Amino acid sequence: MVRSPLTATSASQDSKMAGRKLALKTIDWIAFWEIIPQNQKAIANSLKSWNEILTSRLAALPENPPSIDWAYYKANVAKAGLVDDFEKKFNALKVPIPEDPYTALVDAEEKEDVKSCAEWVSLSKARVVEYEKKMEKYKNLIPFEQMTIEDLNEAFPETKLDKQKYPYWPHQPIENL
Amino acid sequence: MKTTKNFYLARPVSGHLAPALTDSPIRGHRNAKIAVWNSADHAVPSGTFCCRHSGPLSEECSLPRSRTLGPVTERNALKSPNGQDFNRVLQATRTFHTEQPHLAPVPPLPEYGGKVRHGLIPEEFFQYLYPKTGVTGPYVLGTGLILYALSKEIYVITGETITGLAVIGLYIFGVKKFGPSVAAFADKLNEQKLAQLEEAKQASIKQIQDAVDMEKAQQALVQKRHYLFDVQRNNIALALEVTYRERLHRVYKEVKNRLDYHISVQNMMRRKEQEHMINWVEKHVVQSISAQQVLNIFDVLTLYLYL
């Protein structure tokens, strides 16, 4: 039996909502999945699902609530001044925009991450250089048919027989033969 | 003679043995012992032959005495700059110690040793005698020497002779029959060793390559790390927005609820008043109907029944 007034956005209502814009970055989910190591896949999954939950909730809520038809209420409510009072208070009310202490944390984390990544990348490059050197050495080996045992020991130091430790032939523990 | 050109002997013959002439063969030695010649040991006119295994190991040999690992295959066979195959050409003169010693990579061993006739006598001997005595010369010499030794009893025929002949016959038979297979077996062993080494080397190379690739992939991934933080920031923004909107909606709902409550209370009161009034009116109307009027109405009704 309650008549709900039809919603009609009036200009007076819009002024209440502050001009906030939702700035969301587009996410490449495949790349996001790639960078997560195996042992953190669960956390990544929860992040993703939270994202989905929140987007759906956001989609369900219209940006502004419908506005209240004061004229109708003024006409119908018997108590004088009640509606005016409500209207005044309603317009004066400012819903606080929730504060955001968390983005700062995320930014700080990201900065640290960038730093550690840069460090890691430089280490990685050094490693790559070492590997390349080793590769060169291996690629430039003379063919085995033309090596002597000394050459072999130079190229693969693990083949060198320790004649101090095992002075008698075969210069290695029997198990290695 | 052609002008000398330098080339090098195979390693076990000690690398500091330097060059010989263009049309000299490589004296291939698969023997582990190093045969070292000093140039003083030989007269070096044209047409000398060198003995095969000669001389003690020289102290001059500055290189390690070691043995190369592998057989020489056809592809390693040395060729002279002119394309002659050294394995088949006679060695004429040799000069030694005229160049710096050469180290690795060692030129590969020739596949076959110097040619030998009847398993005993080097080919060079026959070639040496050829200009003077022709093809049959060395054979005649050999026959003559044998007959001389027999007739002069320099070599005495005893029971041992028969033994010797039999044993030598057996040796020759054995070698001819089983030699190649034994050689193949030995070669196979060596091949296995080489294959093992080769495999190890390839595995190492592959491992390093994999490591390099992985490092490169990881480096590429570093570019994408910002997505992690983007997701987090997005989540935060979404949550805040959702909260804010929910608050707005709540305010609206509450206010509207209160206003609607007032209205519905009013409506309900009015309805109640109406009903009450109706009831009251009805009651009084009913009360006001006197008994007499009731009887009159009954008469009228019975009249209607009969009609």
Side-chain angles (χ1 to χ4, degrees), chain A residues 144-163:
Chain A
F144 286 111
E145 289 88 1
Q146 299 181 28
M147 273 197 203
T148 66
I149 297 288
E150 280 79 12
D151 290 338
L152 180 67
N153 291 347
E154 265 174 46
F156 299 95
E158 60 268 13
T159 53
K160 195 165 164 68
L161 295 174
D162 190 351
K163 304 220 165 143

Side-chain angles (χ1 to χ4, degrees), chain A residues 39-79:
Chain A
N39 53 354
Q40 293 172 7
K41 289 278 187 205
I43 306 174
N45 224 349
S46 76
L47 266 181
K48 188 162 181 218
S49 57
W50 264 118
N51 195 307
E52 280 160 12
I53 291 172
L54 287 172
T55 14
S56 62
R57 271 164 73 172
L58 195 73
L61 290 171
E63 186 167 347
N64 297 324
S67 52
I68 302 181
D69 190 2
W70 297 109
Y72 168 76
Y73 283 116
K74 240 194 289 249
N76 288 339
V77 173
K79 217 183 219 176

Side-chain angles (χ1 to χ4, degrees), chain A residues 75-128:
Chain A
N76 288 339
V77 173
K79 217 183 219 176
L82 184 79
V83 174
D84 293 324
D85 198 28
F86 270 30
E87 188 178 359
K88 210 166 52 215
K89 289 213 181 104
F90 183 75
N91 287 339
L93 180 69
K94 286 245 168 316
V95 181
I97 299 179
E99 281 176 5
D100 182 14
Y102 304 111
T103 314
L105 294 177
V106 173
D107 284 337
E109 231 181 270
E110 185 176 18
K111 257 213 299 275
E112 269 184 46
D113 185 68
V114 163
K115 231 175 20 204
S116 70
C117 274
E119 202 180 296
W120 187 88
V121 162
S122 68
L123 283 180
S124 169
K125 289 203 161 86
R127 274 199 292 262
V128 166

Side-chain angles (χ1 to χ4, degrees), chain A residues 2 4 17 20 22 24-25 27-28 31-32 34-35 47 51 54 57-58 61-63 65-66 68 70 72-73 76-78 82 86 90 93 95-100 102 106-107 109-110 113 117 120 124-125 127-128 131-132 134-135 138 142 144-147 149-150, chain B residues 11 64 66-70 75 104-106 108 194 197-198 201 204-205 208-209 211-212 215-216 218-219 221-222 224-242 244-249 251-252 255-256 258-260 262-263 266 271:
Chain A
V2 173
S4 47
M17 323 305 174
R20 80 217 174 283
L22 191 60
L24 290 178
K25 301 216 180 90
I27 309 277
D28 180 5
F32 171 71
E34 273 176 11
I35 57 179
L47 266 181
N51 195 307
L54 287 172
R57 271 164 73 172
L58 195 73
L61 290 171
E63 186 167 347
I68 302 181
W70 297 109
Y72 168 76
Y73 283 116
N76 288 339
V77 173
L82 184 79
F86 270 30
F90 183 75
L93 180 69
V95 181
I97 299 179
E99 281 176 5
D100 182 14
Y102 304 111
V106 173
D107 284 337
E109 231 181 270
E110 185 176 18
D113 185 68
C117 274
W120 187 88
S124 169
K125 289 203 161 86
R127 274 199 292 262
V128 166
Y131 289 149
E132 297 277 323
K134 264 195 192 162
M135 180 86 89
Y138 276 124
I142 54 183
F144 286 111
E145 289 88 1
Q146 299 181 28
M147 273 197 203
I149 297 288
E150 280 79 12
Chain B
R11 180 77 177 262
S66 50
R67 187 178 176 208
T68 58
L69 290 175
R75 70 177 188 282
V106 179
L194 284 179
L197 286 173
E198 190 68 36
K201 174 174 150 188
S204 295
I205 287 186
I208 294 178
Q209 192 60 45
V212 166
E215 296 281 340
K216 294 235 152 78
Q218 300 280 350
Q219 280 175 12
L221 277 190
V222 162
K224 304 189 190 164
R225 277 186 83 80
H226 69 94
Y227 281 125
L228 176 66
F229 302 102
D230 280 350
V231 168
Q232 290 179 5
R233 275 191 284 256
N234 274 10
N235 277 7
I236 294 172
L238 283 174
L240 292 174
E241 180 71 16
V242 161
Y244 182 64
R245 285 192 198 177
E246 272 177 5
R247 285 180 188 173
L248 285 178
H249 279 80
V251 162
Y252 163 79
V255 167
K256 197 151 114 42
R258 281 171 174 73
L259 290 173
D260 286 341
H262 279 292
I263 294 201
Q266 277 170 215
R271 202 176 60 236

Side-chain angles (χ1 to χ4, degrees), chain B residues 48-74:
Chain B
T48 38
F49 69 90
C50 309
C51 34
R52 214 139 156 249
H53 315 287
S54 75
L57 295 171
S58 161
E59 297 81 307
E60 286 180 81
C61 176
S62 56
L63 295 166
R65 307 156 186 177
S66 50
R67 187 178 176 208
T68 58
L69 290 175
V72 170
T73 57
E74 273 304 298

